[in-house]
Amino acid sequence: MPAITCKAPGKIILFGEHAVVYGRPAIAVPISQVQARAIVTANPSKESGEVEIQAPNIGLQARLKELPPDHPIAVIIEQVASALQISRLPSFTLRITATIPVSAGLGSGAAVSVATIRALSAFLGHLLPDEQVSELAYEVEKLHHGTPSGIDNTVITYAMPVYYAHRSGNGNIIEPFQVARPFTLVIGDTGVPSPTASSVGLVRQAWQAEKERFEHIFDEIGNIAQTARQVIEAGRSEALGPLMDENQALLHEMGVSSPELEALIQAARSAGAQGAKLSGGGRGGNMIALVTPESADSIAQSLRKAGATRIITTTVE
Ligand code: PMV
């Protein structure tokens, strides 16, 4: 049996991070320059049930039975087997590699899940449909995030810009949409690792202490996300810059920015970016700046000078 390979892109959140955990809409887009890849190869010479895991990026080389049952990779395999009602797995090797940096707001966890769920389900004879891939990846996201909104698994599964709102008990709003006119973003990494679960936890504590203030901030962010979608669908992407700046001011008020993020955001604006904000959980990780294709290189250089450890220039289309 030939090896089965599946890939999944990274993602960034354009608008609405954190507020999306509280039911407001957010917009996320796939980033295909970085990706996760899962390869499943049969091991016919080994006994059935012998599963070998190789994930060199995280220094993991182990047999499935050696992993703790709540290890994300063990959970993904278990979820796929149970979705396909397979009680005894054949023998195979699962190799996972990724160019998506971890804990940087680029969706590495969800991309690994989506690529693995697709490769494994195809290997087992039933490639799962997108909706189910996203649902299973969401279960794994819970291990990474605590209380994830579900936006990462959604945008990465559909690999299209997505307008997303989490509605508990009510069915989530998931609306992939078209970009009328492409626009360019420079993504700058602070190099400060920042696990999403801890920034989500901090926001929850702050929300519990000051519900009214935070609900108001979330409403404003939700309105920005809604306007941004209209602007993107109308091809008026130059109007996104001021919306990014407004969203950033609100994220700063929420306490999820950081000196490193502020330094990069300021550097991008001074170098001529049309707008800039943090992206994802914040307190580290990445920022994004809206640029013109002509100014992208010089803004990227300014970000490097201001301390960015990695730069990705991407066109959203
Ligand atoms: O980009 P990430 O993976 O750091 O996502 C964080 C987005 C949050 O809104 C902060 C959390 C969530 O689950 O949506």
Side-chain angles (χ1 to χ4, degrees):
M1 187 188 275
I4 292 189
T5 302
C6 290
K7 293 183 247 173
K11 73 98 210 356
I12 47 155
I13 297 186
L14 278 188
F15 293 99
E17 47 275 273
H18 288 291
V20 69
V21 176
Y22 299 80
R24 273 56 163 202
I27 293 175
V29 295
I31 302 293
S32 49
Q33 282 92 334
V34 287
Q35 59 184 28
R37 180 192 297 252
I39 307 173
V40 180
T41 318
N43 280 336
S45 59
K46 297 240 174 82
E47 213 180 294
S48 77
E50 272 299 313
V51 176
E52 172 84 25
I53 319 279
Q54 301 170 352
N57 298 82
I58 54 167
L60 176 70
Q61 161 113 25
R63 291 190 303 167
L64 177 59
K65 37 173 110 110
E66 293 161 359
L67 292 185
D70 61 349
H71 189 286
I73 296 175
V75 172
I76 298 173
I77 295 173
E78 156 59 28
Q79 298 263 0
V80 173
S82 112
L84 298 177
Q85 300 182 336
I86 291 173
S87 52
R88 186 145 180 91
L89 288 166
S91 174
F92 63 86
T93 297
L94 166 64
R95 182 173 173 84
I96 299 170
T97 56
T99 53
I100 311 175
V102 291
S103 295
L106 290 168
S108 63
V112 163
S113 298
V114 167
T116 304
I117 292 164
R118 286 204 175 118
L120 186 54
S121 65
F123 173 77
L124 295 171
H126 301 274
L127 176 65
L128 291 169
D130 286 348
E131 202 182 333
Q132 214 175 347
V133 169
S134 186
E135 264 168 33
L136 295 188
Y138 179 69
E139 290 306 310
V140 185
E141 285 292 279
K142 287 187 191 163
L143 303 174
H144 293 292
H145 276 202
T147 53
S149 63
I151 192 167
D152 280 23
N153 47 288
T154 303
V155 64
I156 287 169
T157 298
Y158 293 95
M160 264 187 86
V162 169
Y163 177 86
Y164 178 91
H166 176 63
R167 297 268 184 270
S168 47
N170 243 334
N172 297 334
I173 296 174
I174 300 173
E175 296 175 355
F177 67 96
Q178 302 287 340
V179 176
R181 194 154 58 88
F183 54 93
T184 306
L185 295 174
V186 174
I187 307 170
D189 193 341
T190 58
V192 179
S194 171
T196 303
S198 62
S199 70
V200 169
L202 278 170
V203 171
R204 185 156 298 271
Q205 275 175 12
W207 169 74
Q208 266 154 357
E210 285 183 283
K211 281 206 174 141
E212 211 174 307
R213 184 163 89 85
F214 272 73
E215 287 294 327
H216 181 69
I217 294 177
F218 296 154
D219 281 341
E220 289 194 60
I221 293 178
N223 290 338
I224 292 174
Q226 229 168 340
T227 309
R229 177 188 176 167
Q230 291 161 4
V231 159
I232 296 170
E233 287 186 313
R236 293 190 296 112
S237 51
E238 65 291 344
L240 289 177
L243 292 172
M244 285 166 74
D245 291 341
E246 273 176 54
N247 196 159
Q248 172 58 25
L250 293 161
L251 288 161
H252 184 269
E253 259 187 63
M254 280 166 59
V256 293
S257 198
S258 72
E260 294 84 359
L261 282 165
E262 293 294 330
L264 296 189
I265 288 166
Q266 215 33 63
R269 288 180 187 150
S270 310
Q274 294 155 301
K277 65 182 276 294
L278 69 85
S279 175
R283 302 184 67 84
N286 287 281
M287 51 71 69
I288 55 178
L290 181 70
V291 304
T292 58
E294 299 73 40
S295 65
D297 281 351
S298 68
I299 291 171
Q301 253 176 29
S302 304
L303 285 175
R304 249 190 218 105
K305 260 196 217 141
T309 54
R310 184 179 20 79
I311 310 271
I312 299 171
T313 300
T314 190
T315 302
V316 180
E317 49 198 351

